[in-house]
Amino acid sequence: MSAQVLETPATPLAEARDVVKRYGPTTALQGGRLAVFQGESHALVGRNGAGKSTLVGVLTGLIAPDSGTVRFDGEAAPPPVDRDAWRRKVACVYQKPTVVPELTVAENLFLNRQPTGRGPFISWRRLRSEAAEVLGAWDVHVDPDTRTADLGVEDRQMVEIARALSFGARFIVLDEPTAQLDKREIERLFARMRSLQSSGVTFLFISHHLQEVYEICQTVTVLRDARWITTAPVAQLPRPALVEAMAGESVAAAGHAAAVREPVPVEAPIALEAHGLGAPAYQDVELTIRHGEVVGLAGTSGSGKVELAETFAGLYAPHAGSAQLDGTPMPFGDVHAALAAGVGCVPRDRHAQGLVPGMTVGDNATLSVLGLGVLGPGGLGRRGFVAPRRKRAVAADLIDRLDIHAEGPDQPVSDLSGGNAQKVVMARALACDPRLLVLINPTAGVDVKSKESLLARVDGARADGTAVLVVSDELDDLRRCDRVLVLFHGRITGEHPAGWHDHELIAAIEGIAATGSEDPAAAAGPEGVVDHG
């Protein structure tokens, strides 16, 4: 059937039409559209890479679209250079704070627009008085003299909302506002949002937690693969249909399943064993990985999956629990000791954590084995000295094994493409012949060919008997896993053996029940609501 989005005669408070944004050959958004009406909470959902951040950047004037229009109350958006005009229209409260932590609440509210007394000097009395008026007007119970760094996440977010409202904006974008809040804080945030809505404030609510969409929002827009997919009233959109829109597959057909792999033999020895691990980002983690097994960790950005993986790589020490690698306690909080214990790691950001741009391909590829005994006594040298010939030979072998397209070990790593640079990071992780290989977003920002090459190395490590832990937002990365564990709010909430379907895993990641048992007819949604473009 041909379905249409429900129409409303009101003029949208904020509207984007046919927005296109490209960065070179990459299309960040194609035909993006959104219409948000006054007094509503409108959800914007989609998996990572769907185009949400690009659309928000366009709506807030931070990104100039290649084509398309943005309007507020039916009028064209201000010119990009007129930031004051944009602040009067829209503001975004990001997951990471944009306040200055060492300044007080009052100082942050009126940063760069402090009231003055006689002459050019700041009137501190007026500053505190006007800050108290702003906070009181919007029911934000925070002392204006409190240092912002001393606020909790919930109060900090409300201060940022109050600051945006003080400019005159009545359209607020909330980017993952609940990622760092507990259940009680989330309930208080939602209560404040409802109160502000009754005062005419409008929210664009971005979240990976779909149950929150049904709790706080009236309308939802879905993006997928940098394109608009559907807009519908939340009350008329069944959860299976929402998951289907995000996943791109029919729940009834369940068309795209991860390949079923030959199971790891039950007699395979356990490589990694963790009990009761706890830290600020995760709690009560129980985890085992056998030699020759690939285990995935899936979850939203605030689920704790990255922090857990980085703990095994030696970046952090948990405050509770224990873990052993081949029966030996893991050296938490010590990266060098983790390397020596047999842990190889591809970090989450190759630019900030994975590569030394001023060094060569060979230097970067062999950093993990300098001084270690994994390549014979003394690693690549003794008493702090590196044997250049030996290092060059090892680097050349890694370049060949990983199919790194480089002129040789002496080429600067900064000259490589993104895919080949990521292969260098993978080469360094494999150089020490690890017993445990921790991969965090291993194929992020690489081309299709490089992605397949990197994932083939995961298969190779599995065949060699290495225990592999893969953390990724990409479903294609997780398909290479023997099983996938899902973290939600820091706890492991489910395990999916190889053969899972996209909609099942996405539903678990988003914190809602698997939808495979629902009535297939319901997945299509009611007539007149869902438009799959």
Side-chain angles (χ1 to χ4, degrees):
M1 67 180 177
S2 175
Q4 300 293 326
V5 178
L6 290 180
E7 295 291 340
T8 174
T11 300
L13 177 66
E15 183 179 24
R17 290 185 181 179
D18 302 321
V19 173
V20 175
K21 183 61 183 178
R22 297 185 180 89
Y23 296 95
T26 302
T27 299
L29 194 61
Q30 177 70 43
R33 61 172 111 161
L34 184 74
V36 184
F37 294 88
Q38 184 173 354
E40 74 171 347
S41 284
H42 190 122
L44 179 63
V45 301
R47 295 190 49 74
N48 288 346
K52 302 189 300 295
S53 296
T54 302
L55 183 55
V56 167
V58 171
L59 281 170
T60 54
L62 298 177
I63 296 175
D66 298 326
S67 62
T69 59
V70 175
R71 304 180 74 83
F72 295 100
D73 276 331
E75 298 180 355
V81 295
D82 192 349
R83 294 311 307 164
D84 287 339
W86 279 97
R87 291 188 186 99
R88 292 192 292 269
K89 299 292 185 183
V90 58
C92 185
V93 178
Y94 296 95
Q95 185 176 340
K96 293 183 179 180
T98 60
V99 292
V100 181
E102 296 306 318
L103 297 183
T104 67
V105 169
E107 290 168 332
N108 272 288
L109 284 174
F110 290 96
L111 191 63
N112 294 327
R113 53 183 182 130
Q114 299 92 335
T116 57
R118 294 180 179 178
F121 301 104
I122 295 173
S123 172
W124 297 104
R125 180 178 298 178
R126 282 186 58 198
L127 178 69
R128 296 186 187 96
S129 174
E130 292 181 15
E133 288 180 11
V134 168
L135 295 171
W138 300 108
D139 198 28
V140 180
H141 303 291
V142 175
D143 186 340
D145 292 324
T146 301
R147 196 174 65 127
T148 311
D150 297 331
L151 296 178
V153 175
E154 178 190 7
D155 285 333
R156 188 267 299 168
Q157 289 177 338
M158 292 307 302
V159 168
E160 295 201 52
I161 291 173
R163 182 175 63 182
L165 295 171
S166 73
F167 280 99
R170 295 296 179 266
F171 177 42
I172 310 296
V173 181
L174 298 180
D175 185 10
E176 296 285 353
T178 65
Q180 302 178 54
L181 302 181
D182 60 29
K183 184 176 181 180
R184 187 172 300 177
E185 290 170 333
I186 292 172
E187 291 174 352
R188 287 200 299 264
L189 173 65
F190 286 175
R192 287 174 167 179
M193 287 176 62
R194 293 186 184 100
S195 176
L196 289 170
Q197 278 182 256
S198 66
S199 301
V201 178
T202 302
F203 293 100
L204 181 63
F205 184 80
I206 302 172
S207 178
H208 283 291
H209 301 157
L210 296 188
Q211 82 281 0
E212 296 174 357
V213 170
Y214 284 90
E215 184 173 349
I216 193 64
C217 296
Q218 292 78 52
T219 312
V220 58
T221 290
V222 181
L223 301 181
R224 186 181 72 239
D225 298 331
R227 293 177 178 272
W228 176 86
I229 299 300
T230 186
T231 296
V234 170
Q236 300 179 33
L237 183 64
R239 297 190 185 196
L242 181 54
V243 174
E244 174 187 335
M246 295 175 62
E249 68 166 3
S250 167
V251 173
H256 201 178
V260 178
R261 311 186 71 163
E262 286 293 326
V264 177
V266 293
E267 63 271 16
I270 292 175
L272 175 66
E273 188 170 16
H275 296 289
L277 286 185
Y282 53 84
Q283 303 85 40
D284 301 323
V285 170
E286 302 283 331
L287 174 68
T288 60
I289 307 178
R290 296 183 179 275
H291 280 285
E293 183 180 27
V294 181
V295 173
L297 287 182
T300 63
S301 58
S303 66
K305 65 183 188 296
V306 171
E307 292 83 355
L308 178 59
E310 291 179 338
T311 298
F312 294 126
L315 272 73
Y316 304 111
H319 59 59
S322 62
Q324 296 80 39
L325 183 59
D326 287 334
T328 302
M330 295 201 70
F332 291 129
D334 188 332
V335 174
H336 187 270
L339 280 170
V343 181
C345 178
V346 171
R348 66 171 113 174
D349 186 339
R350 67 171 173 268
H351 301 291
Q353 301 170 300
L355 296 169
V356 182
M359 298 177 67
T360 67
V361 172
D363 289 335
N364 274 278
T366 58
L367 276 175
S368 63
V369 293
L370 296 178
L372 297 181
V374 291
L375 298 175
L380 298 183
R382 296 183 179 183
R383 297 185 178 90
F385 294 96
V386 176
R389 183 176 299 176
R390 189 173 191 189
K391 183 180 75 171
R392 188 177 180 84
V394 170
D397 179 63
L398 290 169
I399 290 172
D400 183 62
R401 284 170 55 192
L402 273 295
D403 190 29
I404 300 170
H405 294 176
E407 296 173 1
D410 296 328
Q411 182 176 0
V413 75
S414 57
D415 290 349
L416 300 184
S417 67
N420 284 298
Q422 186 73 350
K423 290 179 185 179
V424 173
V425 179
M426 178 73 84
R428 187 178 66 198
L430 294 170
C432 60
D433 292 330
R435 291 181 288 172
L436 171 65
L437 183 60
V438 178
L439 307 176
I440 306 175
N441 293 333
T443 66
V446 304
D447 59 76
V448 174
K449 187 175 181 180
S450 296
K451 180 175 183 176
E452 186 57 37
S453 177
L454 289 163
L455 292 177
R457 294 311 309 161
V458 176
D459 294 338
R462 179 182 189 266
D464 292 338
T466 304
V468 184
L469 182 66
V470 178
V471 179
S472 183
D473 299 319
E474 299 288 338
L475 296 185
D476 286 342
D477 294 355
L478 299 175
R479 293 188 217 284
R480 312 298 268 256
C481 299
D482 296 286
R483 52 195 173 97
V484 176
L485 304 178
V486 175
L487 272 76
F488 187 77
H489 283 313
R491 296 181 182 274
I492 294 177
T493 56
E495 178 177 317
H496 296 258
W500 46 265
H501 292 277
D502 288 8
H503 76 276
E504 296 171 339
L505 192 62
I506 291 174
I509 290 171
E510 307 296 345
I512 64 177
T515 54
S517 60
E518 299 262 355
D519 178 8
E527 185 172 1
V529 176
V530 182
D531 179 1
H532 289 285

